Amino acid sequence: MKGTKSYLSKTVEELKPSGIRRFFDLAAGMEGVISLGVGEPDFITPWSVREAAILSLEQGYTSYTANAGLMELREEIADYMQKSFGVSYSPQNEIIVTVGASQALDISLRAILDPGDEVIVVEPSFVSYVPLVTLAGGVPVQVQTLKENGFKILPEQLENAITGRTKAIMLCSPNNPTGTMLSGDELNAIAQIAEKYDLLVLSDEIYAELAYDDEYTSFAAIREMKKRTILISGFSKGFAMTGWRLGFVCAPEEISQAMLKIHQYAMMCAPTMAQFAALEALKTGRSDVEVMKKSYKRRRNYFVQSLNELGLTCHMPGGAFYAFPSIESTGLSSEEFAEKLLLEEKVAVVPGNIFGESGEGHVRCSYATSMELLQEAIKRISHFIKQNQKA
């Protein structure tokens, strides 16, 4: 028998492990750590949602559902998309319920990419985007944004990255890790480029519920863009349902049905109990979302202002629950800053370079934790900075 490693796919073998995981593992072995690293709400899933899941079990709903998900849930998603974002989708053939937004993204890419097709990834970007493009046989083309522009992609940057092999643009607004949210006008500019070069747009809208200052615009709602958009969303962030692993993807029928082929072979269906929970979340959970959103906004205002007062300059994020301050004033790299802060002050943040080269010089801080812990974290960061002043 050959060595076990020789059986591995070259693509997988060359794939880098998630940079976030190393810091999670490091922090997990320490006591008294304040974690600003994890990208999940500190709220528990609303009781009405949990109760609906329990009831579904009591009623014996423990079998598979349709591949694309419960029709009742897809109808509710269609109603939600129409009422919240003004986009109309058919629950029969344009919506698939998935195992989290991550699976939605995976089947989207596998459905549209042939080997060598290029996907423009606007960075800093969520850690899974580039690997998922690669695993689908595509070629990720990373386009860097600048802090001077609030980490917003400029139209000319997009156009310069387009080649004859470009098939799609991947967007995330509000963004993970920067919290940057694109306005309707900015999305319109991207839409014109997508139209001009006949490109698809994968729009990750998992943080759409967490837009704090301005009205949220779905990319699919822009004129003529629904036919070019694969819209990815889910319940993890807005509805505080990370552990339920429930997402969905909306796309034109031909793309949606191609995705369904992959979904039915790989996953059969999303967990039934979680689907009933998501159904209840859409029916009755919006008031809970508003309460959580107001709380995040208060924390954002405090945390970002405090970072700036410490000299860690940070733009005001328009959505999600991440701050992305510059740590350049300390003279440390992102990795050095995050590791030293964890070891010396027991505050866990994520190095910005993990999200792409343009993230170097920054760290991602999640403010989805209590105000008391945020205040303590700021005290510790302040002490850390004083101890690590540039010579």
Side-chain angles (χ1 to χ4, degrees):
M1 180 179 172
K2 297 180 288 185
T4 308
K5 194 174 179 182
S6 66
Y7 291 97
L8 297 178
S9 151
K10 284 189 170 49
T11 302
V12 173
E13 198 175 9
E14 291 171 2
L15 212 58
K16 293 180 182 175
S18 167
I20 288 182
R21 185 54 53 190
R22 184 171 83 83
F23 277 84
F24 284 175
D25 292 344
L26 197 59
M30 298 173 64
E31 290 187 3
V33 171
I34 297 176
S35 178
L36 307 181
V38 182
E40 69 174 339
D42 62 328
F43 292 98
I44 298 172
T45 305
W47 171 243
S48 62
V49 177
R50 287 178 278 156
E51 195 172 35
I54 294 167
L55 183 61
S56 75
L57 289 175
E58 289 177 343
Q59 293 177 333
Y61 292 118
T62 58
S63 305
Y64 294 134
T65 67
N67 296 145
L70 287 167
M71 177 54 76
E72 193 178 358
L73 175 56
R74 282 182 278 154
E75 288 172 346
E76 202 66 39
I77 291 170
D79 187 60
Y80 165 73
M81 292 303 300
Q82 179 65 57
K83 289 178 178 172
S84 298
F85 309 113
V87 191
S88 175
Y89 283 105
S90 162
Q92 281 76 29
N93 50 34
E94 292 185 320
I95 297 172
I96 301 173
V97 179
T98 57
V99 181
S102 300
Q103 196 226 349
L105 186 62
D106 183 32
I107 64 174
S108 299
L109 289 165
R110 287 201 276 162
I112 64 170
L113 295 181
D114 285 317
D117 285 345
E118 295 176 357
V119 177
I120 293 175
V121 178
V122 178
E123 66 148 89
S125 65
F126 181 52
V127 292
S128 74
Y129 290 174
V130 167
L132 285 177
V133 171
T134 303
L135 287 170
V139 178
V141 177
Q142 293 166 270
V143 179
Q144 300 184 4
T145 57
L146 301 172
K147 65 179 178 182
E148 291 78 5
N149 299 325
F151 296 103
K152 294 184 177 184
I153 188 72
L154 302 179
E156 54 267 33
Q157 287 181 287
L158 270 185
E159 285 209 80
N160 289 340
I162 293 170
T163 73
R165 297 304 306 265
T166 306
K167 185 167 268 185
I169 301 167
M170 192 179 293
L171 297 177
C172 178
S173 174
N175 178 272
N176 177 4
T178 64
T180 294
M181 192 172 89
L182 300 175
S183 68
D185 287 344
E186 289 158 346
L187 292 173
N188 258 307
I190 295 171
Q192 289 175 23
I193 293 171
E195 188 81 39
K196 180 178 176 181
Y197 293 95
D198 196 17
L199 302 176
L200 292 172
V201 172
L202 283 85
S203 184
D204 182 348
E205 303 188 5
I206 188 73
Y207 294 100
E209 288 287 345
L210 304 179
Y212 302 119
D213 304 316
D214 301 313
E215 188 175 347
Y216 183 78
T217 301
S218 170
F219 193 82
I222 295 173
R223 186 174 174 273
E224 298 295 319
M225 281 301 110
K226 183 193 162 189
K227 64 186 178 187
R228 294 187 178 278
T229 304
I230 300 176
L231 189 153
I232 293 147
S233 192
F235 299 85
S236 294
K237 312 297 185 179
F239 292 90
M241 295 177 64
T242 51
W244 299 82
R245 308 315 303 130
L246 229 287
F248 61 90
V249 55
C250 305
E253 180 176 356
E254 289 184 349
I255 296 176
S256 179
Q257 295 311 298
M259 287 192 282
L260 190 58
K261 287 185 196 173
I262 305 167
H263 180 69
Q264 66 191 9
Y265 287 123
M267 205 57 69
M268 187 60 78
C269 68
T272 303
M273 177 183 68
Q275 291 193 55
F276 279 103
L279 180 60
E280 184 66 23
L282 290 177
K283 285 181 175 177
T284 66
R286 300 301 296 280
S287 58
D288 294 290
V289 173
E290 285 304 310
V291 170
M292 291 187 271
K293 183 175 160 181
K294 285 179 182 174
S295 178
Y296 292 141
K297 184 175 180 178
R298 283 197 301 274
R299 301 182 211 182
R300 177 200 67 165
N301 292 345
Y302 162 75
F303 192 65
V304 172
Q305 181 182 342
S306 299
L307 289 172
N308 280 301
E309 288 172 356
L310 293 179
L312 303 183
T313 55
C314 183
H315 75 285
M316 185 60 78
F321 38 59
Y322 305 111
F324 202 61
S326 168
I327 50 88
E328 290 173 349
S329 62
T330 66
L332 299 172
S333 70
S334 297
E335 295 259 357
E336 288 169 341
F337 184 96
E339 189 159 343
K340 282 171 72 70
L341 181 63
L342 179 60
L343 296 177
E344 294 177 15
E345 300 291 341
K346 295 188 176 181
V347 176
V349 298
V350 181
N353 65 318
I354 283 172
F355 305 98
E357 287 184 24
S358 56
E360 180 53 58
H362 295 77
V363 291
R364 189 191 77 173
C365 308
S366 167
Y367 51 81
T369 191
S370 72
M371 186 62 90
E372 291 75 18
L373 286 177
L374 287 177
Q375 290 168 340
E376 177 60 26
I378 287 293
K379 283 183 188 173
R380 296 187 189 186
I381 293 171
S382 175
H383 183 258
F384 175 78
I385 291 172
K386 288 173 184 168
Q387 298 298 311
N388 289 274
Q389 292 283 7
K390 267 185 183 178

